[in-house]
Amino acid sequence: MARKFFVGGNWKCNGTAEEVKKIVNTLNEAQVPSQDVVEVVVSPPYVFLPLVKSTLRSDFFVAAQNCWVKKGGAFTGEVSAEMLVNLDIPWVILGHSERRAILNESNEFVGDKVAYALAQGLKVIACVGETLEEREAGSTMDVVAAQTKAIADRVSNWSNVVIAYEPVWAIGTGKVASPAQAQEVHDELRKWLAKNVSADVAATTRIIYGGSVNGGNCKELGGQADVDGFLVGGASLKPEFIDIIKAAEVKKSA
């Protein structure tokens, strides 16, 4: 079974209601490959989720950028998985490097979040990736394997998980992993899944790349055998996000 190309747009902490409406209009008018070729998910800040959900075209889906690690309650400022389910938000991004680094979310905490969100019926984009220091020390795979293991230890059904490999040194820096660098880590990650989870999970789980993806580099990155799509940051706020979605065609013609 071929893995369906996946393109996620992480809007991060950006936007006003007016800007969000403009982005949605651009997406709604875009000519993109059909749903059987590419799955498109956009992730606005919490406050804009209902607005985007109610106005976005029906063949694109919406993700939250985070959710709480367990049932809601006395956790001021947090949003629970149950609330997202209640709003019919199908996806959530968990373990983004910005949250790991700035908010000190540990591998275990992220693993717990992924397991809880899945148990509530959400689909999860789980982020992994190494820092520049870790890459230069040659420990990329150790870091990414430990991050993935914390999820694998808590999750038995991977059908609703997409792994996003995002080298921290490439996020928002303009430095992009070369297609060969991306392919190498994706291939190693898939081998890790085959060895530590199952051959089936390794073959079917989508591993997408994130880190300064743009209209200019998306086709070459997307053409790599084990790159199943993208998690796009800054470029997802611009019209070039459409070009990135269209990069899914490289798989169809392969």
Side-chain angles (χ1 to χ4, degrees):
M1 186 191 89
R3 298 181 295 270
K4 190 196 290 187
F5 207 78
F6 185 100
V7 178
N10 177 12
W11 298 1
K12 305 192 182 182
C13 188
N14 290 295
T16 62
E18 286 313 304
E19 288 165 348
V20 166
K21 284 176 190 165
K22 274 188 194 150
I23 295 168
V24 170
N25 281 342
T26 302
L27 295 175
N28 288 351
E29 289 166 9
Q31 299 286 313
V32 297
S34 63
Q35 265 183 290
D36 58 339
V37 175
V38 63
E39 187 167 5
V40 180
V41 174
V42 296
S43 188
Y46 280 136
V47 290
F48 300 126
L49 284 171
L51 170 61
V52 175
K53 169 95 179 116
S54 63
T55 53
L56 187 67
R57 58 197 289 168
S58 62
D59 56 337
F60 287 8
F61 299 96
V62 181
Q65 294 176 16
N66 178 45
C67 66
W68 183 233
V69 67
K70 52 189 171 188
K71 199 170 160 56
F75 306 105
T76 301
E78 288 296 331
V79 171
S80 70
E82 289 87 347
M83 292 174 190
L84 298 177
V85 171
N86 183 245
L87 287 182
D88 275 333
I89 304 297
W91 286 91
V92 63
I93 299 171
L94 295 172
H96 193 280
S97 65
E98 286 154 5
R99 298 195 63 84
R100 290 177 186 265
I102 302 164
L103 293 149
N104 297 319
E105 293 194 2
S106 68
N107 290 351
E108 293 68 32
F109 188 63
V110 172
D112 287 340
K113 279 189 170 188
V114 172
Y116 191 80
L118 290 170
Q120 304 316 306
L122 291 171
K123 298 176 185 180
V124 174
I125 300 165
C127 302
V128 300
E130 83 285 5
T131 63
L132 187 59
E133 296 73 38
E134 288 162 344
R135 173 162 279 269
E136 288 175 344
S139 54
T140 294
M141 258 336 282
D142 296 339
V143 171
V144 171
Q147 292 168 336
T148 310
K149 182 178 187 298
I151 296 165
D153 286 347
R154 295 161 172 81
V155 169
S156 51
N157 182 352
W158 285 73
S159 59
N160 286 331
V161 179
V162 168
I163 298 175
Y165 167 60
E166 296 202 301
V168 180
W169 47 272
I171 298 175
T173 59
K175 284 182 188 170
V176 62
S178 69
Q181 283 175 317
Q183 167 59 23
E184 181 185 19
V185 178
H186 285 231
D187 176 52
E188 290 289 337
L189 249 178
R190 214 176 286 290
K191 285 177 181 157
W192 188 93
L193 288 172
K195 187 177 170 196
N196 297 280
V197 183
S198 76
D200 181 58
V201 165
T204 56
T205 301
R206 289 172 292 181
I207 305 175
I208 63 176
Y209 170 79
S212 298
V213 177
N214 59 44
N217 60 29
C218 56
K219 279 202 173 103
E220 199 185 349
L221 283 163
Q224 303 299 308
D226 289 289
V227 175
D228 302 315
F230 309 112
L231 186 56
V232 185
S236 69
L237 301 164
K238 302 171 188 166
E240 74 183 288
F241 187 58
I242 310 301
D243 299 322
I244 298 171
I245 297 169
K246 288 178 180 169
E249 297 281 6
V250 301
K251 291 292 195 222
K252 210 171 67 167
S253 56

